Amino acid sequence: MATILRRATATGQILPLPATCRHDASVVRISIANHSRRQSSSQFQSQQRYFLPISRSTAQQRPLHTNSSSNSILNRSPLSNPLSFFEAPNRLPRSRYQCLRSSRNLSTTTQLKQTSTSTTAAAGGGSAGAPVAEEVLQHPLQTYNVTKADARPVLSSHHKITFDEKKVLVPWEEGKTSTFHNIWLRDHWHMLTIGDCNQIPKDIQASEVEPQEKGLKITWKNDKHESYFSFEWLHLHSYSPRLQRYLSPRFKLWGSEIEKAPPEVEYEEVMASDAGVAKWTSKIYTYGFCYVNGVPVTAEDTKKLVERIAHIRETHYGGFWDFTADLSKKDTAYTNIALAAHTDTTYFSEPAGLQLFHLLHHTDGAGGQSLLVDGFKAARVLRDTKPEAYRVLSNVRIPAHASGNLDVSVKPYAPFPVFNHHPVNGELIQVRWNNDDRATMDRWDDAAVEVEAFYEACREWNEVLRRREGEYWEQLVPGRALIFDNWRVLHGRSSFSGSRRLCGAYVSRDDFMSRFLVTNATREQVLKAV
């Protein structure tokens, strides 16, 4: 059952409601009646269609989607305009990755529609040593750019609210009119009252639609029930047309220069209050990593630190780790050899969201420096300099597995590409790259074209990852824990000698984002964005 949220009744009383509810604190009362006449399609705002790189059906598990008759590496599928939800924060700006419409000719599909450089930090804006974007910390839920007009959910003084057997039309001061279908309105009021959308009559109609001071009261013809929605909520969730323009998250991309002022917080601050957790998660979200200073040099205290964000994610290696070099684990992480930049758990359908390391001791030896690479920054560099390689790695599905131990063989439900984009807004949300976890790649449509294109793209990507200006090296020390976003930041290390004890854990992506949101926004802001 959905998590119980809250709603405000006409009297302002706070009551629980399911998490699927999209209503804000000041809701609107509606009374709806059933309709029989179909709404004209002209009354809907026509939506622009985007074409994003989509691989072949997961059942076939083919890493390259092609048409063998024309040697086309890419095939695209139309997707609708961005919607207002906060599910995939790790994104590159959509404006910098505008794919051309579907084409079967390789020479044309290898072009990118370049647009003007974005001014957001996600597009690489800002100086290398710029501080955390305050807008990100103050407005973590804002994923749409609200213009002056959009920020005023005020009814038009020149036009009236109208309704018919299918819909309610709400005219706004900004000159736009929102169309709300009766069944949609009743469904969302049902969400407030823990109802079932399948119980809504097909011919649901409103008998009366009455504007009030802050919202809209609707009386439904079928059962005389009354519903109420605030104008603020209706304006925020208007879908025909969408009234707010999509805004890319303002991440801070970085390279080797981050060593001058890496993001960090204090252990006591994090452990003392949720305000400290808010500061910590904000820096992780903005930069993709953060240090915690002053951590007691024990596995127990490190575990408590991780759990300030969320519960630890269990894997076939267990939950919280506390290990030294151990070849019996059948994983390169448990050796003392050098590790190139990679992301962890690419063999899971959903890779780990966060990963934390805390060096407890390193004696009788040297080496073992940690390497971090901003995968979103590297992806942007590849996209701008080698667009064809970026396209290939956005479409080729790479099989992965973890089968080193005798009792384990983990594989995702389907292969995934290196660059994974949001299915609605098209922005980069995840980099998954681990050369050591790749499985056999034996699914090709046209091997004569696809094989060489894939390996060339891998070489180009590896070259970007190895550029000195993109590598941030740092020696971990006892008392200073490192946590990073495994969907964005690649990590590695240099080889080492001596006795080295490390502890740490994984946290799932969803748990991290939940903690980030609830500590950096008010309850009302969180519910408004649902």
Side-chain angles (χ1 to χ4, degrees), residues 444-463:
W444 308 94
D445 280 351
D446 187 353
V449 173
E450 298 165 1
V451 173
E452 292 187 1
F454 169 70
Y455 287 103
E456 178 61 25
C458 286
R459 282 190 287 269
E460 300 285 2
W461 173 236
N462 184 63
E463 189 276 326

Side-chain angles (χ1 to χ4, degrees), residues 150-169:
D150 292 334
R152 291 176 52 84
V154 178
L155 292 180
S156 170
S157 58
H158 305 289
H159 302 85
K160 294 183 178 181
I161 294 175
T162 60
F163 68 98
D164 59 26
E165 68 273 16
K166 283 290 186 181
K167 60 191 178 294
V168 176
L169 302 180

Side-chain angles (χ1 to χ4, degrees), residues 27 45 59 98 115 131 166 174 214 222 225 234 241 290 318 335 345 359 375 386 392 416 475 499 502 515:
V27 250
Q45 179 193 34
Q98 302 263 353
T115 58
K166 283 290 186 181
E174 63 205 68
K214 294 185 178 180
N222 304 67
H225 181 78
L234 287 172
C290 185
T335 68
T345 61
L359 180 68
K386 301 290 182 179
V392 171
F416 288 85
Q475 184 70 59
S499 173
L502 201 70
R515 188 67 163 143

